């Protein structure tokens, strides 16, 4: 009997404590989950008046799929142990609530960067664990992503980058631009421990792309020179006559866009340009921005980004049709694009920077063997620097006149285009208030001459429509617009459409000329100064590849 009583008491006690435990556990979890709701998070006016208002404007709050990520989805771990740890840490927030540390928008903004850095560092330390609860590489369909996203994600998996390296400020006010260069570099540095196997759908897409190089060429019938938008009256230009029957040469449609003050230094600085990391790793500008040119141009020409002196009404992009042909001796190019409306530059008397020339068209060439660093990825962007004339760090006239380099460079109209290969160093980030660029870090003359002889330059060909002058020059230590074997341009404006043809020998023995072999690829880029503009107020292409009878080349010259 006593054993039965003891056994019954033991079982009863165990059952009692089990029920109490279940009630306690259920109550504890219910209470903890209640603190994960959006309503609870914004019950404090510090959250409701600040971060909640910012969050409501983002895709995490409202989107086409109707899936909403609330505060806890990003800031509270899902697994129990880490969740409890986070809740314990949150007691510090109660203390600061009582102390009124951030109880006004002014106080909150004063501490915003400090608060953001804590979150960024926490996410970095966990490989962006909460992000990956929803966003998983293995679940992504890379075919539905833009080229830029695909490239960045593939690089992240291989290098060991994590979500927060790139995606800061996506739900709240941007403050990562207040980080020092050292802090930003440390925060965005890859962690080898975060490298992960590449999912099969990513590898399949990469293998498919490797079979046929990404091609910008979209063959179309030769464009007609009629039914085009209205344009100013025809400008004087030399007569046409390359001797090529262009009706049988496919056209490649590309888009030139307005670049503003986006220099090579800007492109290479992660603080300014999110694509700096993949560009340095070997990705081309085209890989990320193909198809985005018009949007980029519209953004910059509006003055919203990297353009402090916008020209009202100036178009952000120019659709350009390019045809290419060759014979045994010459390369022939034909360009067509719609003329635009005149939009006077408000900072120039009369509104025309170059009154003589309604348009200028430039072609840049470089070998595809990496002799000119970044030419294979960024094209003519390699020649554009932050200290050129009209750029943000351009030296003043007194500085140029007093420089000993005035004996070696033509600085009469300011610093002109140059290549990194001609300088001992470039200041990329502008640390400590240093001007970006490297105009004053010119190498010795013997080194410049050796680089020219070795082909470490960019060949520059330019047509001036008003004067009819064709120029054959090159860029190395500075822009040189003379010498070379020469080039023939003709151009005219008919029915609102500009048509310009170029004829240039394939082979040259002149300094500053790239000799073209029909079994090789070359880096090529185009720029148009329209509407009487000068200097940086032009439209440019992404860096492209020129080939001969090779349909994989983005500009393919057909034998004729």
């Amino acid at each position: 009997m006593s054993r039965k009583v003891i056994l019954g008491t033991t079982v009863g006690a165990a059952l009692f404590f089990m029920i109490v435990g279940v009630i306690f556990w259920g109550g504890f979890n219910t209470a903890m989950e209640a603190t994960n709701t959006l309503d609870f998070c914004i019950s404090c006016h510090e959250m409701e008046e600040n971060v909640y208002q910012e969050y409501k404007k983002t895709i995490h709050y409202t989107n086409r799929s109707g899936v909403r990520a609330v505060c806890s989805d990003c800031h509270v771990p899902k697994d129990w142990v880490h969740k409890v740890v986070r809740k314990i840490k949150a007691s510090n927030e109660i203390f600061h609530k009582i102390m009124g540390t951030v109880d006004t928008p002014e106080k909150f903004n004063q501490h915003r960067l400090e608060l953001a850095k804590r979150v960024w560092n926490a996410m970095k330390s966990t490989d962006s664990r909460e992000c990956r609860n929803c966003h998983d590489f293995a679940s992504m369909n890379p075919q539905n992503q833009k080229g830029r996203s695909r490239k960045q994600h593939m690089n992240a998996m291989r290098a060991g980058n994590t979500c927060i390296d790139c995606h800061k400020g996506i739900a709240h006010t941007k403050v990562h631009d207040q980080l020092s260069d050292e802090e930003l570099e440390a925060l965005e540095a890859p962690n080898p421990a975060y490298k992960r196997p590449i999912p099969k759908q990513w590898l399949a897409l990469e293998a498919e792309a490797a079979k046929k190089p990404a091609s910008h060429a979209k063959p179309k019938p030769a464009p007609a020179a009629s039914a085009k938008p209205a344009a100013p009256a025809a400008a004087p230009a030399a007569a046409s006559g390359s001797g090529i029957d262009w009706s049988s040469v496919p056209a490649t449609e590309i888009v030139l866009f307005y670049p503003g003050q986006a220099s090579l230094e800007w492109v290479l600085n992660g603080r300014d340009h999110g694509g700096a990391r993949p560009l340095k790793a070997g990705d081309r500008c085209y890989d990320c921005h193909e198809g985005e040119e018009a949007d980029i141009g519209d953004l910059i020409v509006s003055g919203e980004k990297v353009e402090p002196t916008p020209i009202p009404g100036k178009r952000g992009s120019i659709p350009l049709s390019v045809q290419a042909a060759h014979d045994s001796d010459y390369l022939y190019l034909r360009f067509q694009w719609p003329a635009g409306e005149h939009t006077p530059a408000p900072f120039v008397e009369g509104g025309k920077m170059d009154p003589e020339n309604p348009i200028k068209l430039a072609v840049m060439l470089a070998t595809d063997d990496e002799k000119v660093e970044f030419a294979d990825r960024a094209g003519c962007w390699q020649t554009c620097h932050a200290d050129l004339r009209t750029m943000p760090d351009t030296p003043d006239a007194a500085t140029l006149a007093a420089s000993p380099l005035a004996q070696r460079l033509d600085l009469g109209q300011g610093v002109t285009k140059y290549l990194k290969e001609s300088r001992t160093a470039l200041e990329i980030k502008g640390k400590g208030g240093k001007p970006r660029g490297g105009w004053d870090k010119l190498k010795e003359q013997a080194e410049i001459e050796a680089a020219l002889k070795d082909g470490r330059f960019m060949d520059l060909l330019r047509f001036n429509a008003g004067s009819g002058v064709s120029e054959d020059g090159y860029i190395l230590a500075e822009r040189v617009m003379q010498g070379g074997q020469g080039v023939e341009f003709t151009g005219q404006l008919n029915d609102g459409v500009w048509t310009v043809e170029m004829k240039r020998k394939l082979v040259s023995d002149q300094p500053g000329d790239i000799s073209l072999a029909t079994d090789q690829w070359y880096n090529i880029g185009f720029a148009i100064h329209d509407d009487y503009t000068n200097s940086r107020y032009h439209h440019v292409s992404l860096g492209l590849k020129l080939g001969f009878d090779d349909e994989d080349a983005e500009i393919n010259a057909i034998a004729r």
Side-chain angles (χ1 to χ4, degrees):
M1 176 66 69
S2 61
R3 290 181 179 178
K4 291 181 179 180
V5 171
I6 293 172
L7 180 61
T9 301
T10 303
V11 171
L15 183 60
F16 172 78
F17 285 111
M18 183 181 298
I19 294 172
V20 171
V22 168
I23 294 173
F24 173 79
W25 184 257
F28 177 78
N29 273 283
T30 299
M32 189 159 60
E33 289 306 315
T35 65
N36 283 345
T37 64
L38 178 62
D39 288 340
F40 178 85
C41 290
I42 64 174
S43 61
C44 297
H45 76 272
E46 290 89 343
M47 296 293 104
E48 197 277 333
E49 293 177 1
N50 295 293
V51 293
Y52 178 61
Q53 301 305 320
E54 303 156 7
Y55 153 73
K56 287 198 300 182
K57 302 173 184 177
T58 72
I59 196 170
H60 283 91
Y61 182 80
T62 181
N63 50 68
R64 63 185 179 276
S65 64
V67 178
R68 177 174 294 172
V70 298
C71 309
S72 58
D73 290 322
C74 298
H75 296 289
V76 180
K78 296 293 184 186
D79 64 287
W80 192 83
V81 173
H82 290 106
K83 182 187 296 185
V84 171
V85 171
R86 177 68 187 91
K87 294 298 181 181
I88 293 173
K89 289 181 178 180
S91 62
N92 182 58
E93 297 166 16
I94 298 175
F95 170 77
H96 285 286
K97 165 69 175 177
I98 296 171
M99 297 300 294
T101 305
V102 291
D103 61 355
T104 68
E106 293 75 19
K107 289 182 180 180
F108 191 93
N109 285 327
Q110 183 180 352
H111 291 276
R112 185 185 287 273
L113 180 60
E114 175 190 354
L115 297 171
K117 286 164 68 172
R118 289 178 187 171
V119 175
W120 296 334
N121 288 326
M123 288 185 167
K124 181 76 171 182
S125 68
T126 64
D127 190 12
S128 304
R129 178 182 53 214
E130 281 65 64
C131 300
R132 292 184 291 105
N133 286 333
C134 294
H135 305 283
D136 183 59
F137 287 122
S139 302
M140 293 179 182
N141 184 349
Q143 287 185 317
N144 292 340
Q145 296 181 358
K146 290 183 178 181
R148 176 181 1 182
S149 300
R150 285 198 301 270
K151 279 290 188 180
Q152 294 275 36
H153 288 150
M154 186 70 84
N155 290 338
M157 286 185 276
R158 287 186 167 137
N161 287 105
T162 188
C163 311
I164 199 61
D165 292 352
C166 297
H167 296 288
K168 294 177 284 293
I170 58 172
H172 303 297
T173 296
K174 173 183 173 182
V175 291
H176 58 273
D177 55 349
Q178 299 176 29
L179 292 169
S180 69
D181 290 322
E182 292 75 16
E183 287 176 316
L184 193 62
E185 289 174 4
L187 185 60
E188 297 183 350
N191 184 340
Y194 296 162
K195 292 181 181 180
R196 45 182 48 84
I198 310 299
K200 61 181 181 180
Q201 71 269 29
W202 293 83
L203 293 174
L205 189 63
E206 185 178 55
E208 181 181 341
K211 292 178 183 177
K212 181 177 177 60
S215 176
H216 201 108
K218 302 178 179 74
K220 295 184 178 181
S226 60
K228 298 292 182 177
S240 177
S242 64
I244 297 293
D245 177 11
W246 292 108
S247 64
S248 61
V249 178
T252 299
E253 308 299 331
I254 65 175
V255 177
L256 309 190
F257 62 97
Y258 185 73
Q261 289 187 337
S263 62
L264 179 67
E265 291 77 23
W266 185 92
V267 169
L268 293 176
N269 187 12
R271 177 185 297 281
D272 299 321
H273 176 222
R277 187 188 303 115
L279 180 68
K280 293 174 185 176
D283 290 352
R284 298 168 59 200
C285 300
Y286 170 77
D287 293 336
C288 289
H289 296 300
E290 185 266 340
E292 299 179 348
E293 298 94 331
D295 292 336
I296 294 172
D298 288 343
L299 176 69
I300 296 176
V301 81
S302 70
E304 185 174 341
K305 192 171 186 178
V306 292
E307 180 47 83
T309 53
I311 299 175
K314 186 176 179 66
R315 54 181 169 174
S317 61
I318 297 176
L320 178 68
S321 175
V322 183
Q323 295 168 274
H326 76 96
D327 56 26
S328 58
D329 298 314
Y330 289 92
L331 168 68
Y332 305 92
L333 294 174
R334 184 175 188 252
F335 307 91
Q336 286 193 307
W337 71 94
E341 298 291 334
H342 178 50
T343 54
F347 44 83
V348 176
E349 185 177 355
K352 297 179 179 179
M353 293 177 242
D354 182 2
E356 183 180 14
N357 293 295
I359 65 102
K360 297 186 288 286
L361 181 140
V363 179
M364 281 195 198
L365 291 163
T367 57
D368 200 33
D369 52 10
E370 299 184 358
K371 286 185 176 181
V372 177
E373 188 180 8
F374 299 118
D376 61 328
R377 286 160 272 175
C380 58
W381 234 279
Q382 158 67 301
T383 70
C384 183
H385 298 276
D387 51 7
L388 303 187
R389 58 179 181 165
T390 76
M391 295 293 277
D393 291 313
T394 186
D396 58 36
T399 300
L400 294 176
S403 171
L405 295 181
Q407 304 300 315
R408 297 177 55 193
L409 300 174
D410 182 2
L411 302 175
Q413 295 184 342
V415 181
T416 62
K417 292 179 180 291
Y418 61 85
L419 295 186
K420 178 177 180 287
E421 282 67 21
S422 67
R423 265 55 181 182
T424 57
L426 290 181
E427 176 59 44
I428 302 296
K429 299 180 179 297
K431 291 183 178 180
K434 295 179 181 177
R436 295 199 285 183
W439 79 271
D440 56 346
K441 299 177 177 64
L442 188 64
K443 291 181 178 179
E444 296 298 326
Q445 187 60 30
E447 295 178 272
I448 302 294
E449 292 173 358
L452 183 61
K453 185 176 181 180
D454 189 41
R456 286 179 281 139
F457 61 88
M458 293 197 77
D459 198 344
L460 174 60
L461 311 167
R462 188 169 71 175
F463 172 61
N464 301 272
S467 64
V469 173
S470 300
E471 298 172 292
D472 181 2
Y474 68 91
I475 297 172
L476 182 53
E478 60 185 332
R479 185 180 64 190
V480 177
M481 296 308 299
Q482 58 188 6
Q485 65 176 343
V487 63
E488 298 177 34
F489 279 103
T490 61
Q492 56 189 340
L493 175 62
N494 285 324
D495 297 326
V497 176
W498 279 102
T499 300
V500 175
E501 297 184 24
M502 186 194 89
K503 178 180 178 182
R504 189 253 196 200
K505 283 187 177 180
L506 295 173
V507 179
S508 173
D509 59 359
Q510 297 299 307
D513 280 345
I514 299 290
S515 284
L516 303 175
T518 55
D519 61 347
Q520 299 293 320
W521 277 17
Y522 298 88
N523 297 300
I524 191 168
F526 311 112
I528 293 176
H529 281 94
D530 74 330
D531 195 22
Y532 305 94
T533 55
N534 218 341
S535 190
R536 66 175 176 82
Y537 295 93
H538 55 359
H539 296 80
V540 300
S541 71
L542 297 171
L544 305 171
K545 302 296 182 182
L546 168 67
F548 296 85
D549 302 303
D550 186 340
E551 63 181 14
D552 289 333
E554 291 150 12
I555 302 296
N556 182 26
I558 305 297
R560 285 294 179 268

